[in-house]
Protein backbone atom coordinates (compact mmCIF):
# COMPACT_ATOMS: atom_id res chain seq x y z
CA UNK A 1 0.00 0.00 0.00
CA UNK A 2 2.86 2.35 0.88
CA UNK A 3 4.56 1.60 -2.46
CA UNK A 4 1.30 2.23 -4.30
CA UNK A 5 0.85 5.56 -2.51
CA UNK A 6 4.41 6.55 -3.39
CA UNK A 7 3.86 5.68 -7.05
CA UNK A 8 0.65 7.72 -7.20
CA UNK A 9 2.23 10.65 -5.40
CA UNK A 10 5.29 10.60 -7.65
CA UNK A 11 3.08 10.58 -10.75
CA UNK A 12 1.14 13.58 -9.46
CA UNK A 13 4.36 15.45 -8.73
CA UNK A 14 5.61 14.67 -12.23
CA UNK A 15 2.40 16.09 -13.74
CA UNK A 16 2.83 19.28 -11.72
CA UNK A 17 6.44 19.64 -12.87
CA UNK A 18 5.40 19.37 -16.51
CA UNK A 19 2.55 21.81 -15.98
CA UNK A 20 4.89 24.36 -14.39
CA UNK A 21 7.52 23.80 -17.08
CA UNK A 22 4.96 24.37 -19.82
CA UNK A 23 3.91 27.68 -18.27
CA UNK A 24 7.53 28.74 -17.77
CA UNK A 25 8.39 27.86 -21.37
CA UNK A 26 5.57 30.05 -22.71
CA UNK A 27 7.19 33.02 -21.00
CA UNK A 28 10.71 31.91 -21.92
CA UNK A 29 9.71 31.68 -25.59
CA UNK A 30 9.11 35.44 -25.62
CA UNK A 31 12.70 36.19 -24.58
CA UNK A 32 15.16 37.67 -27.05
CA UNK A 33 18.24 35.84 -28.27
CA UNK A 34 20.38 38.13 -26.11
CA UNK A 35 18.36 37.38 -22.99
CA UNK A 36 18.46 33.61 -23.50
CA UNK A 37 22.18 33.76 -24.23
CA UNK A 38 22.84 35.64 -20.98
CA UNK A 39 20.93 32.98 -19.02
CA UNK A 40 22.80 30.13 -20.70
CA UNK A 41 26.13 31.84 -20.07
CA UNK A 42 25.42 32.34 -16.36
CA UNK A 43 24.41 28.69 -15.94
CA UNK A 44 27.61 27.54 -17.69
CA UNK A 45 29.86 29.72 -15.53
CA UNK A 46 28.19 28.73 -12.26
CA UNK A 47 28.32 25.04 -13.19
CA UNK A 48 32.03 25.29 -14.01
CA UNK A 49 32.71 26.89 -10.62
CA UNK A 50 31.25 23.78 -8.95
CA UNK A 51 32.92 21.26 -11.27
CA UNK A 52 35.16 19.73 -8.59
CA UNK A 53 32.48 19.58 -5.90
CA UNK A 54 30.07 17.79 -8.23
CA UNK A 55 32.78 15.44 -9.51
CA UNK A 56 33.66 14.27 -6.00
CA UNK A 57 30.00 13.82 -5.10
CA UNK A 58 29.32 11.71 -8.20
CA UNK A 59 32.39 9.53 -7.64
CA UNK A 60 31.59 8.96 -3.97
CA UNK A 61 27.91 8.21 -4.54
CA UNK A 62 28.14 5.92 -7.58
CA UNK A 63 31.59 4.42 -7.11
CA UNK A 64 32.19 4.89 -10.83
CA UNK A 65 35.31 6.35 -12.39
CA UNK A 66 37.77 8.92 -11.08
CA UNK A 67 36.72 12.23 -9.59
CA UNK A 68 39.67 14.01 -11.24
CA UNK A 69 38.39 13.00 -14.69
CA UNK A 70 34.84 13.92 -13.74
CA UNK A 71 36.08 17.46 -13.04
CA UNK A 72 37.21 17.61 -16.66
CA UNK A 73 33.85 16.24 -17.83
CA UNK A 74 31.91 18.82 -15.81
CA UNK A 75 34.10 21.59 -17.19
CA UNK A 76 33.66 20.22 -20.70
CA UNK A 77 29.86 20.00 -20.26
CA UNK A 78 29.69 23.60 -19.08
CA UNK A 79 32.36 25.80 -20.68
CA UNK A 80 33.32 23.77 -23.77
CA UNK A 81 29.67 23.23 -24.70
CA UNK A 82 28.89 26.89 -24.01
CA UNK A 83 31.77 28.13 -26.17
CA UNK A 84 30.46 26.02 -29.03
CA UNK A 85 26.81 27.11 -28.80
CA UNK A 86 27.10 30.72 -27.62
CA UNK A 87 26.95 32.30 -31.08
CA UNK A 88 24.30 30.03 -32.56
CA UNK A 89 21.11 31.76 -33.65
CA UNK A 90 18.17 29.84 -32.21
CA UNK A 91 15.52 32.53 -31.59
CA UNK A 92 13.34 34.22 -34.19
CA UNK A 93 14.79 34.61 -37.69
CA UNK A 94 17.92 32.46 -37.62
CA UNK A 95 18.69 32.72 -41.35
CA UNK A 96 17.57 35.17 -44.03
CA UNK A 97 18.58 34.31 -47.59
CA UNK A 98 17.93 37.47 -49.60
CA UNK A 99 19.06 35.88 -52.87
CA UNK A 100 16.78 32.86 -52.81
CA UNK A 101 14.12 34.69 -50.78
CA UNK A 102 13.88 32.07 -48.01
CA UNK A 103 13.90 32.67 -44.26
CA UNK A 104 14.37 30.18 -41.41
CA UNK A 105 12.63 30.79 -38.08
CA UNK A 106 13.65 28.94 -34.93
CA UNK A 107 10.70 27.47 -33.05
CA UNK A 108 11.23 25.87 -29.61
CA UNK A 109 9.87 22.38 -29.09
CA UNK A 110 8.36 23.18 -25.68
CA UNK A 111 8.97 20.91 -22.69
CA UNK A 112 11.76 18.32 -22.86
CA UNK A 113 12.05 15.33 -20.55
CA UNK A 114 15.65 14.26 -19.95
CA UNK A 115 16.81 10.89 -18.63
CA UNK A 116 20.11 10.92 -16.73
CA UNK A 117 22.58 7.99 -16.54
CA UNK A 118 24.39 7.05 -13.36
CA UNK A 119 27.71 6.91 -15.24
CA UNK A 120 27.76 10.64 -16.09
CA UNK A 121 25.06 12.23 -13.92
CA UNK A 122 26.35 15.72 -13.15
CA UNK A 123 27.92 16.47 -16.55
CA UNK A 124 24.80 15.22 -18.34
CA UNK A 125 22.51 17.54 -16.38
CA UNK A 126 24.72 20.56 -17.07
CA UNK A 127 25.03 19.77 -20.77
CA UNK A 128 21.34 19.03 -21.36
CA UNK A 129 20.27 22.15 -19.47
CA UNK A 130 22.45 24.35 -21.65
CA UNK A 131 21.37 22.93 -25.01
CA UNK A 132 17.67 22.80 -24.06
CA UNK A 133 17.53 26.40 -22.83
CA UNK A 134 19.65 27.67 -25.71
CA UNK A 135 16.92 26.36 -28.03
CA UNK A 136 14.19 28.09 -25.99
CA UNK A 137 12.83 25.00 -24.23
CA UNK A 138 12.04 24.02 -20.66
CA UNK A 139 13.57 20.80 -19.36
CA UNK A 140 12.45 18.35 -16.65
CA UNK A 141 14.94 15.70 -15.51
CA UNK A 142 14.48 12.17 -14.28
CA UNK A 143 17.76 11.38 -12.46
CA UNK A 144 19.05 7.88 -11.90
CA UNK A 145 18.20 6.59 -8.39
CA UNK A 146 21.82 5.51 -7.87
CA UNK A 147 23.03 9.07 -8.46
CA UNK A 148 20.28 11.12 -6.86
CA UNK A 149 22.32 13.13 -4.35
CA UNK A 150 24.86 14.44 -6.89
CA UNK A 151 22.08 14.95 -9.45
CA UNK A 152 19.94 17.00 -7.04
CA UNK A 153 22.95 19.12 -6.10
CA UNK A 154 23.68 19.78 -9.78
CA UNK A 155 20.05 20.71 -10.37
CA UNK A 156 20.13 23.06 -7.40
CA UNK A 157 23.10 24.89 -8.96
CA UNK A 158 21.65 25.19 -12.47
CA UNK A 159 18.17 26.17 -11.23
CA UNK A 160 19.59 28.88 -9.01
CA UNK A 161 21.78 30.21 -11.82
CA UNK A 162 18.84 30.27 -14.24
CA UNK A 163 16.68 32.25 -11.79
CA UNK A 164 19.51 34.66 -11.02
CA UNK A 165 19.87 35.41 -14.72
CA UNK A 166 16.16 36.08 -15.15
CA UNK A 167 14.69 32.77 -16.29
CA UNK A 168 11.15 31.95 -15.10
CA UNK A 169 10.73 29.46 -12.25
CA UNK A 170 10.15 25.95 -13.53
CA UNK A 171 12.24 26.30 -16.68
CA UNK A 172 14.62 23.67 -15.22
CA UNK A 173 13.41 21.08 -12.72
CA UNK A 174 13.41 17.40 -11.81
CA UNK A 175 11.31 14.73 -10.18
CA UNK A 176 12.33 14.27 -6.56
CA UNK A 177 10.42 11.05 -5.88
CA UNK A 178 12.42 8.75 -8.10
CA UNK A 179 10.05 6.01 -9.14
CA UNK A 180 9.56 4.19 -12.40
CA UNK A 181 5.99 5.51 -12.44
CA UNK A 182 7.18 9.11 -12.26
CA UNK A 183 9.51 8.57 -15.20
CA UNK A 184 6.71 6.91 -17.18
CA UNK A 185 4.45 9.86 -16.41
CA UNK A 186 7.03 12.25 -17.83
CA UNK A 187 7.61 10.15 -20.93
CA UNK A 188 3.89 9.72 -21.71
CA UNK A 189 2.74 13.26 -20.91
CA UNK A 190 0.95 14.96 -23.81
CA UNK A 191 2.62 18.21 -22.72
CA UNK A 192 6.14 16.81 -23.20
CA UNK A 193 7.39 17.49 -26.73
CA UNK A 194 10.57 15.40 -26.70
CA UNK A 195 12.45 12.85 -24.62
CA UNK A 196 16.22 13.33 -24.52
CA UNK A 197 17.33 9.89 -23.40
CA UNK A 198 20.75 8.86 -22.17
CA UNK A 199 20.91 5.69 -20.15
CA UNK A 200 20.58 1.93 -20.27
CA UNK A 201 19.22 0.15 -23.31
CA UNK A 202 15.99 -0.78 -21.51
CA UNK A 203 15.20 2.80 -20.56
CA UNK A 204 15.97 4.06 -24.06
CA UNK A 205 13.64 1.42 -25.57
CA UNK A 206 10.92 2.48 -23.12
CA UNK A 207 11.35 6.10 -24.22
CA UNK A 208 10.82 5.21 -27.87
CA UNK A 209 7.88 2.95 -26.96
CA UNK A 210 6.16 5.82 -25.13
CA UNK A 211 5.07 7.39 -28.41
CA UNK A 212 6.72 10.69 -27.50
CA UNK A 213 9.39 11.84 -30.00
CA UNK A 214 12.78 10.75 -28.68
CA UNK A 215 16.43 11.51 -29.31
CA UNK A 216 18.79 9.05 -27.69
CA UNK A 217 22.32 7.88 -27.32
CA UNK A 218 23.02 4.20 -27.75
CA UNK A 219 25.46 1.58 -26.49
CA UNK A 220 28.98 1.86 -27.82
CA UNK A 221 31.25 -0.98 -28.81
CA UNK A 222 33.93 0.91 -30.64
CA UNK A 223 36.78 -1.06 -32.21
CA UNK A 224 40.21 0.57 -32.47
CA UNK A 225 41.98 -0.52 -35.65
CA UNK A 226 45.77 -0.07 -35.62
CA UNK A 227 46.85 -0.10 -39.28
CA UNK A 228 50.43 -0.86 -40.24
CA UNK A 229 51.32 2.74 -41.10
CA UNK A 230 50.27 3.99 -37.64
CA UNK A 231 52.54 5.64 -35.12
CA UNK A 232 52.32 2.64 -32.83
CA UNK A 233 53.58 4.30 -29.67
CA UNK A 234 51.09 7.15 -30.04
CA UNK A 235 48.25 4.80 -30.98
CA UNK A 236 48.78 2.71 -27.85
CA UNK A 237 49.01 5.85 -25.73
CA UNK A 238 45.73 7.16 -27.17
CA UNK A 239 43.91 3.89 -26.56
CA UNK A 240 45.08 3.53 -22.98
CA UNK A 241 44.42 7.20 -22.24
CA UNK A 242 40.89 6.80 -23.53
CA UNK A 243 40.12 3.49 -21.85
CA UNK A 244 41.38 4.69 -18.47
CA UNK A 245 39.70 8.13 -18.64
CA UNK A 246 37.11 8.02 -15.86
CA UNK A 247 37.81 4.26 -15.86
CA UNK A 248 36.10 3.76 -19.20
CA UNK A 249 32.53 4.88 -18.47
CA UNK A 250 32.18 7.03 -21.60
CA UNK A 251 30.35 4.94 -24.20
CA UNK A 252 32.56 6.20 -27.05
CA UNK A 253 35.66 4.62 -25.48
CA UNK A 254 37.42 1.72 -27.22
CA UNK A 255 36.14 -1.77 -26.46
CA UNK A 256 38.44 -3.82 -28.70
CA UNK A 257 41.79 -3.48 -30.46
CA UNK A 258 42.23 -4.89 -33.96
CA UNK A 259 45.78 -5.15 -35.24
CA UNK A 260 47.40 -6.54 -38.37
CA UNK A 261 49.60 -9.54 -37.71
CA UNK A 262 52.64 -7.94 -39.32
CA UNK A 263 52.82 -5.30 -36.56
CA UNK A 264 51.39 -7.34 -33.67
CA UNK A 265 54.70 -7.97 -31.91
CA UNK A 266 55.55 -4.28 -31.89
CA UNK A 267 52.05 -3.34 -30.67
CA UNK A 268 52.24 -6.03 -27.97
CA UNK A 269 55.58 -4.70 -26.69
CA UNK A 270 54.26 -1.15 -26.61
CA UNK A 271 51.10 -2.13 -24.75
CA UNK A 272 53.17 -3.89 -22.09
CA UNK A 273 55.47 -0.89 -21.82
CA UNK A 274 52.52 1.45 -21.24
CA UNK A 275 50.80 -0.57 -18.52
CA UNK A 276 48.66 -3.19 -20.27
CA UNK A 277 48.34 -6.66 -18.78
CA UNK A 278 47.52 -9.61 -21.05
CA UNK A 279 45.33 -12.08 -19.18
CA UNK A 280 46.01 -15.77 -19.70
CA UNK A 281 43.18 -18.10 -20.67
CA UNK A 282 42.17 -18.91 -17.10
CA UNK A 283 42.28 -15.26 -15.97
CA UNK A 284 40.27 -14.15 -18.98
CA UNK A 285 37.66 -16.80 -18.21
CA UNK A 286 37.35 -15.60 -14.61
CA UNK A 287 37.00 -12.02 -15.72
CA UNK A 288 34.41 -12.91 -18.37
CA UNK A 289 32.22 -14.51 -15.70
CA UNK A 290 32.11 -11.15 -13.90
CA UNK A 291 31.44 -8.86 -16.85
CA UNK A 292 27.88 -9.85 -17.71
CA UNK A 293 24.83 -10.66 -15.62
CA UNK A 294 22.67 -13.71 -16.26
CA UNK A 295 20.33 -11.67 -18.47
CA UNK A 296 23.21 -10.68 -20.75
CA UNK A 297 23.51 -7.07 -19.56
CA UNK A 298 26.67 -5.50 -18.19
CA UNK A 299 27.31 -6.12 -14.51
CA UNK A 300 27.17 -2.74 -12.69
CA UNK A 301 29.72 -4.06 -10.19
CA UNK A 302 32.47 -3.78 -12.81
CA UNK A 303 31.46 -0.41 -14.28
CA UNK A 304 34.00 2.36 -13.73
CA UNK A 305 36.38 0.24 -11.63
CA UNK A 306 40.13 0.36 -12.24
CA UNK A 307 42.15 -2.56 -13.63
CA UNK A 308 43.74 -3.58 -10.34
CA UNK A 309 40.40 -3.64 -8.50
CA UNK A 310 38.87 -5.74 -11.27
CA UNK A 311 41.71 -8.26 -11.24
CA UNK A 312 41.49 -8.59 -7.47
CA UNK A 313 37.76 -9.25 -7.66
CA UNK A 314 38.39 -11.88 -10.35
CA UNK A 315 40.94 -13.59 -8.10
CA UNK A 316 44.29 -12.98 -9.78
CA UNK A 317 47.17 -10.59 -9.25
CA UNK A 318 48.63 -8.07 -11.70
CA UNK A 319 51.62 -5.70 -11.52
CA UNK A 320 51.07 -2.51 -9.55
CA UNK A 321 51.46 -0.36 -12.67
CA UNK A 322 48.67 -2.13 -14.58
CA UNK A 323 46.29 0.30 -16.30
CA UNK A 324 44.24 -1.91 -18.64
CA UNK A 325 43.48 -5.62 -18.91
CA UNK A 326 43.53 -7.30 -22.33
CA UNK A 327 42.15 -10.66 -23.47
CA UNK A 328 43.19 -12.09 -26.84
CA UNK A 329 40.07 -13.14 -28.74
CA UNK A 330 39.05 -14.80 -31.99
CA UNK A 331 35.23 -14.91 -31.71
CA UNK A 332 32.41 -12.38 -31.70
CA UNK A 333 29.01 -13.09 -30.18
CA UNK A 334 26.48 -11.64 -27.71
CA UNK A 335 27.67 -14.22 -25.18
CA UNK A 336 31.32 -13.19 -25.45
CA UNK A 337 31.70 -10.16 -23.15
CA UNK A 338 35.02 -9.24 -24.72
CA UNK A 339 33.19 -8.50 -27.97
CA UNK A 340 30.64 -6.31 -26.17
CA UNK A 341 30.62 -2.87 -24.53
CA UNK A 342 32.71 -2.90 -21.34
CA UNK A 343 32.43 0.28 -19.29
CA UNK A 344 35.72 -0.37 -17.53
CA UNK A 345 39.41 -0.62 -18.55
CA UNK A 346 39.14 -4.05 -20.21
CA UNK A 347 39.78 -4.66 -23.91
CA UNK A 348 39.38 -7.58 -26.27
CA UNK A 349 42.17 -7.89 -28.84
CA UNK A 350 41.93 -9.41 -32.32
CA UNK A 351 44.87 -10.21 -34.62
CA UNK A 352 44.02 -10.13 -38.33
CA UNK A 353 46.11 -11.13 -41.33
CA UNK A 354 45.42 -8.06 -43.45
CA UNK A 355 43.23 -5.02 -43.84
CA UNK A 356 40.40 -7.02 -45.48
CA UNK A 357 40.14 -9.30 -42.44
CA UNK A 358 40.32 -6.28 -40.16
CA UNK A 359 37.40 -4.70 -42.04
CA UNK A 360 35.31 -7.82 -41.56
CA UNK A 361 36.17 -7.95 -37.86
CA UNK A 362 35.15 -4.31 -37.39
CA UNK A 363 31.76 -4.96 -38.97
CA UNK A 364 31.27 -8.15 -36.93
CA UNK A 365 31.93 -6.28 -33.69
CA UNK A 366 29.66 -3.38 -34.56
CA UNK A 367 26.88 -5.69 -35.70
CA UNK A 368 27.20 -7.56 -32.42
CA UNK A 369 26.69 -4.29 -30.51
CA UNK A 370 27.25 -0.59 -31.12
CA UNK A 371 25.82 -0.07 -34.61
CA UNK A 372 25.88 3.60 -35.52
CA UNK A 373 28.14 4.66 -32.67
CA UNK A 374 31.93 5.02 -32.94
CA UNK A 375 35.03 3.59 -34.61
CA UNK A 376 38.62 4.78 -34.22
CA UNK A 377 41.44 4.22 -36.71
CA UNK A 378 45.13 4.76 -36.09
CA UNK A 379 46.85 5.25 -39.45
CA UNK A 380 48.88 7.63 -41.56
CA UNK A 381 47.26 6.39 -44.77
CA UNK A 382 44.55 8.72 -46.09
CA UNK A 383 43.30 6.03 -48.45
CA UNK A 384 42.54 3.75 -45.51
CA UNK A 385 40.58 6.54 -43.86
CA UNK A 386 38.50 7.12 -46.97
CA UNK A 387 37.79 3.43 -47.42
CA UNK A 388 36.62 2.99 -43.84
CA UNK A 389 34.57 6.20 -43.83
CA UNK A 390 32.60 5.05 -46.87
CA UNK A 391 31.77 1.57 -45.63
CA UNK A 392 31.57 1.23 -41.86
CA UNK A 393 28.15 1.39 -40.10
CA UNK A 394 29.01 4.13 -37.57
CA UNK A 395 28.37 7.86 -37.33
CA UNK A 396 31.65 8.84 -35.69
CA UNK A 397 34.93 7.74 -37.27
CA UNK A 398 37.84 9.11 -35.28
CA UNK A 399 41.39 9.31 -36.54
CA UNK A 400 44.51 9.16 -34.34
CA UNK A 401 42.83 10.31 -31.12
CA UNK A 402 41.55 8.84 -27.85
CA UNK A 403 38.03 7.70 -28.76
CA UNK A 404 36.34 8.61 -25.48
CA UNK A 405 37.47 12.22 -25.80
CA UNK A 406 37.31 12.44 -29.58
CA UNK A 407 33.78 11.06 -29.75
CA UNK A 408 32.34 13.70 -27.43
CA UNK A 409 34.17 16.49 -29.26
CA UNK A 410 36.86 17.20 -26.67
CA UNK A 411 39.94 16.29 -28.76
CA UNK A 412 38.19 16.71 -32.13
CA UNK A 413 36.08 19.45 -33.68
CA UNK A 414 32.98 17.28 -33.70
CA UNK A 415 30.07 19.00 -31.91
CA UNK A 416 30.78 18.82 -28.15
CA UNK A 417 28.06 16.65 -26.62
CA UNK A 418 27.34 13.94 -24.08
CA UNK A 419 24.44 12.42 -26.02
CA UNK A 420 25.84 10.67 -29.08
CA UNK A 421 23.16 9.64 -31.57
CA UNK A 422 23.45 6.32 -33.38
CA UNK A 423 21.02 7.08 -36.22
CA UNK A 424 18.56 4.69 -37.82
CA UNK A 425 21.13 1.89 -38.11
CA UNK A 426 21.50 2.00 -34.32
CA UNK A 427 17.77 2.24 -33.65
CA UNK A 428 17.77 5.99 -32.99
CA UNK A 429 16.26 9.08 -34.56
CA UNK A 430 19.45 11.13 -34.95
CA UNK A 431 23.04 10.39 -35.88
CA UNK A 432 24.32 13.67 -34.45
CA UNK A 433 26.28 14.66 -31.43
CA UNK A 434 23.15 16.30 -30.03
CA UNK A 435 23.13 20.09 -29.70
CA UNK A 436 20.61 22.96 -29.57
CA UNK A 437 19.78 22.72 -33.28
CA UNK A 438 18.42 19.21 -32.65
CA UNK A 439 16.05 20.65 -30.05
CA UNK A 440 14.11 23.14 -32.12
CA UNK A 441 11.93 23.13 -35.21
CA UNK A 442 12.80 25.34 -38.17
CA UNK A 443 9.90 27.13 -39.78
CA UNK A 444 10.49 27.88 -43.47
CA UNK A 445 9.32 31.16 -44.99
CA UNK A 446 9.46 31.23 -48.77
CA UNK A 447 8.63 34.16 -51.07
CA UNK A 448 7.10 33.50 -54.47
CA UNK A 449 9.76 33.78 -57.16
CA UNK A 450 7.93 32.35 -60.20
CA UNK A 451 4.33 32.31 -61.38
CA UNK A 452 2.13 29.50 -62.62
CA UNK A 453 2.55 30.96 -66.09
CA UNK A 454 6.31 30.43 -65.72
CA UNK A 455 5.68 26.80 -64.80
CA UNK A 456 3.45 26.36 -67.88
CA UNK A 457 6.07 27.59 -70.34
CA UNK A 458 6.66 24.70 -72.76
CA UNK A 459 10.07 23.17 -73.00
CA UNK A 460 11.48 23.91 -76.45
CA UNK A 461 12.13 20.63 -78.31
CA UNK A 462 15.51 20.08 -79.88
CA UNK A 463 15.01 20.28 -83.67
CA UNK A 464 18.59 20.31 -84.88
CA UNK A 465 21.23 17.68 -84.61
CA UNK A 466 23.59 18.24 -81.73
CA UNK A 467 27.31 18.25 -82.35
CA UNK A 468 29.03 15.01 -81.55
CA UNK A 469 30.35 14.73 -78.02
CA UNK A 470 34.10 14.59 -77.81
CA UNK A 471 35.11 10.99 -77.68
CA UNK A 472 38.07 11.50 -75.41
CA UNK A 473 39.03 13.32 -72.25
CA UNK A 474 41.99 13.16 -69.94
CA UNK A 475 41.08 10.90 -67.05
CA UNK A 476 41.89 12.54 -63.67
CA UNK A 477 44.34 10.86 -61.38
CA UNK A 478 42.51 8.47 -59.06
CA UNK A 479 43.56 6.06 -56.36
CA UNK A 480 43.49 2.42 -57.44
CA UNK A 481 44.64 -0.06 -54.85
CA UNK A 482 46.21 -3.43 -55.27
CA UNK A 483 45.79 -6.29 -52.81
CA UNK A 484 48.88 -5.28 -50.84
CA UNK A 485 47.07 -3.43 -48.09
CA UNK A 486 46.62 -0.08 -49.88
CA UNK A 487 50.36 0.28 -49.62
CA UNK A 488 51.22 0.48 -53.33
CA UNK A 489 48.65 2.56 -55.17
CA UNK A 490 48.67 1.93 -58.89
CA UNK A 491 48.71 5.20 -60.82
CA UNK A 492 45.65 5.68 -63.01
CA UNK A 493 46.23 6.30 -66.68
CA UNK A 494 46.59 9.87 -67.81
CA UNK A 495 46.27 9.05 -71.52
CA UNK A 496 43.01 9.80 -73.38
CA UNK A 497 40.40 7.14 -72.72
CA UNK A 498 36.91 6.51 -73.99
CA UNK A 499 34.09 8.38 -72.26
CA UNK A 500 31.03 6.51 -70.99
CA UNK A 501 31.87 2.97 -72.16
CA UNK A 502 28.64 1.15 -72.91
CA UNK A 503 30.21 -2.04 -74.14
CA UNK A 504 33.03 -4.30 -73.09
CA UNK A 505 35.47 -6.87 -74.43
CA UNK A 506 32.66 -9.29 -75.21
CA UNK A 507 31.81 -6.98 -78.11
CA UNK A 508 35.37 -6.39 -79.20
CA UNK A 509 35.97 -3.10 -77.37
CA UNK A 510 34.40 -0.16 -75.62
CA UNK A 511 31.69 1.76 -77.47
CA UNK A 512 32.28 5.51 -77.13
CA UNK A 513 29.79 8.34 -76.89
CA UNK A 514 31.13 9.67 -80.16
CA UNK A 515 30.48 6.38 -81.97
CA UNK A 516 26.90 6.23 -80.75
CA UNK A 517 26.26 9.90 -81.54
CA UNK A 518 27.58 9.58 -85.07
CA UNK A 519 25.53 6.44 -85.71
CA UNK A 520 22.34 8.05 -84.40
CA UNK A 521 22.84 11.25 -86.41
CA UNK A 522 23.47 9.29 -89.62
CA UNK A 523 20.11 7.55 -89.24
CA UNK A 524 18.07 10.69 -88.52
CA UNK A 525 15.30 10.65 -85.90
CA UNK A 526 15.20 7.56 -83.70
CA UNK A 527 12.14 5.38 -83.94
CA UNK A 528 11.30 1.82 -83.03
CA UNK A 529 11.73 0.82 -86.67
CA UNK A 530 15.37 1.90 -86.98
CA UNK A 531 16.70 0.98 -83.50
CA UNK A 532 17.98 -2.32 -84.91
CA UNK A 533 19.72 -0.47 -87.77
CA UNK A 534 21.51 1.80 -85.26
CA UNK A 535 22.69 -1.14 -83.17
CA UNK A 536 24.01 -2.90 -86.25
CA UNK A 537 25.79 0.26 -87.36
CA UNK A 538 27.48 0.72 -83.98
CA UNK A 539 28.57 -2.91 -83.75
CA UNK A 540 29.77 -2.70 -87.35
CA UNK A 541 32.18 0.08 -86.35
CA UNK A 542 33.57 -2.04 -83.58
CA UNK A 543 34.38 -4.85 -85.99
CA UNK A 544 36.31 -2.63 -88.39
Amino acid sequence: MVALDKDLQSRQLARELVRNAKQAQKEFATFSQEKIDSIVKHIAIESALHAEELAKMANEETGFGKWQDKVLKNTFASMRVYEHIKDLKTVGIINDDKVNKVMDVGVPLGVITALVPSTNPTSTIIYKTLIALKAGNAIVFSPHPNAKACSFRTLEIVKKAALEAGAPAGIVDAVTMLTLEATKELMHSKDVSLILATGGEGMVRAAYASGTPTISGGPGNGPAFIERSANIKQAVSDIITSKTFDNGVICASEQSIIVERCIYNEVHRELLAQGAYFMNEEEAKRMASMLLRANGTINPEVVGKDAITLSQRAGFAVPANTRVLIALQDTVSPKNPYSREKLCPILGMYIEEDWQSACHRVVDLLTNEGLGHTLVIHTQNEDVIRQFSLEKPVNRILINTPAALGGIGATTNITPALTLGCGAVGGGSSSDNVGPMNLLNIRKVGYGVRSIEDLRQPTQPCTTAQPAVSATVTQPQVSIFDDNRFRNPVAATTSPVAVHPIGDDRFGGAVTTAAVTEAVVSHGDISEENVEQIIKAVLGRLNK
Side-chain angles (χ1 to χ4, degrees), residues 248-265:
V249 299
I250 293 181
C251 57
S253 64
E254 298 85 346
Q255 307 300 320
S256 305
I257 300 174
I258 302 172
V259 62
E260 291 184 87
R261 187 174 297 279
C262 63
I263 59 170
Y264 171 70
N265 289 337

Side-chain angles (χ1 to χ4, degrees), residues 110-122:
V111 178
I112 294 173
T113 282
L115 308 182
V116 181
S118 57
T119 48
N120 304 296
T122 59

Side-chain angles (χ1 to χ4, degrees), residues 225 227-229 260 355 359 377-390 399 481 485-487:
F225 175 40
E227 186 266 337
R228 68 179 65 181
S229 70
E260 291 184 87
W355 72 270
C359 283
I377 306 170
H378 295 275
T379 180
Q380 303 300 318
N381 192 324
E382 289 294 326
D383 298 322
V384 174
I385 296 168
R386 292 189 182 93
Q387 186 76 7
F388 271 69
S389 65
L390 290 171
I399 310 301
F481 308 114
R485 184 55 219 98
F486 294 157
R487 301 298 294 161

Side-chain angles (χ1 to χ4, degrees), residues 204 359 439 461:
V204 170
C359 283
L439 305 183

Side-chain angles (χ1 to χ4, degrees), residues 4 7 42 79 84 92 161 177 185 191 219 228 247 268 293 307 324 327 376 383 428-429 434 445 496:
L4 180 61
D7 285 343
H42 189 60
M79 298 313 300
H84 181 79
M177 296 187 70
E185 185 67 35
D191 290 323
R228 68 179 65 181
N247 285 339
H268 182 268
R293 293 184 289 191
V324 297
V376 61
D383 298 322
S429 59
V434 179
V445 179

